Amino acid sequence: LEVKRAQKKISEMFKADEEDQKAKADAAAEKRRLQDEADKHQAQGKKRLAAAQKVMKERDEELRVIEQEQFDAQAKRLLQLKKSVVKISNAVHAQNERRRKKQQALEMAQEQEKKDLLSQGFNPYEVFRRRELEEKQEQ
């Protein structure tokens, strides 16, 4: 009876050990399966991320090219504007200088005529005024 009980106990222990080993093996298999699934999904995520980063990099490069083109166009317009402003400014200065020289020559001629009229005994202001009135009547 003792022997049967001992054999039964030993057989229960072996059975418990087998069940424990089977449970451990099942748990290890489940852990491997979950890890494999996680690895697979992580790899897919990395691929999606790499693809998204590639698209973003291409867009960034296109944007950089467009911004550079816009900057170059703006700089070209500004340089053209400056060139036009300088050209017009030079033309205005030249015109003003010609006008000033013409006015100076006219004033010098009038001054000389005034001296000539004074030396001849005429009133230069009266002569100039008479001339102005005659010019206005002709118009």
Side-chain angles (χ1 to χ4, degrees):
L1 192 66
E2 282 278 326
V3 174
K4 282 187 181 182
R5 209 174 357 150
Q7 286 177 347
K8 186 177 180 182
K9 198 169 188 180
I10 290 174
S11 122
E12 286 175 359
M13 283 175 54
F14 278 128
K15 201 180 211 184
D17 279 345
E18 285 176 12
E19 288 176 6
D20 191 36
Q21 285 179 359
K22 186 179 181 206
K24 285 180 182 179
D26 289 345
E30 181 66 14
K31 186 176 180 182
R32 269 195 311 275
R33 186 189 68 78
L34 289 175
Q35 185 62 43
D36 290 344
E37 196 71 21
D39 290 344
K40 179 179 99 176
H41 288 292
Q42 186 176 20
Q44 289 174 347
K46 284 181 180 180
K47 285 181 184 177
R48 283 192 310 269
L49 179 62
Q53 285 177 337
K54 181 180 177 185
V55 169
M56 292 301 292
K57 190 174 183 180
E58 289 171 358
R59 286 182 184 167
D60 286 347
E61 181 62 25
E62 290 173 4
L63 181 62
R64 190 194 64 73
V65 168
I66 290 170
E67 286 174 346
Q68 185 64 41
E69 288 172 355
Q70 288 175 345
F71 177 80
D72 291 344
Q74 180 72 12
K76 185 177 178 181
R77 284 193 301 269
L78 285 174
L79 289 174
Q80 185 64 35
L81 176 63
K82 183 176 181 183
K83 185 178 177 182
S84 296
V85 167
V86 167
K87 183 179 177 183
I88 291 169
S89 177
N90 288 340
V92 167
H93 287 309
Q95 185 179 16
N96 287 343
E97 186 63 23
R98 285 191 301 273
R99 187 179 306 136
R100 186 190 65 75
K101 285 183 179 180
K102 186 177 178 182
Q103 183 66 29
Q104 187 179 18
L106 183 63
E107 287 173 1
M108 286 177 63
Q110 283 181 345
E111 189 64 34
Q112 185 62 40
E113 187 179 2
K114 181 179 169 184
K115 287 179 184 177
D116 291 344
L117 287 173
L118 280 174
S119 67
Q120 294 174 8
F122 293 109
N123 184 347
Y125 298 106
E126 186 179 313
V127 173
F128 292 151
R129 180 71 178 142
R130 193 175 301 136
R131 199 179 291 159
E132 284 179 22
L133 289 174
E134 288 172 3
E135 287 175 3
K136 282 185 182 179
Q137 286 177 355
E138 287 177 10
Q139 291 177 358

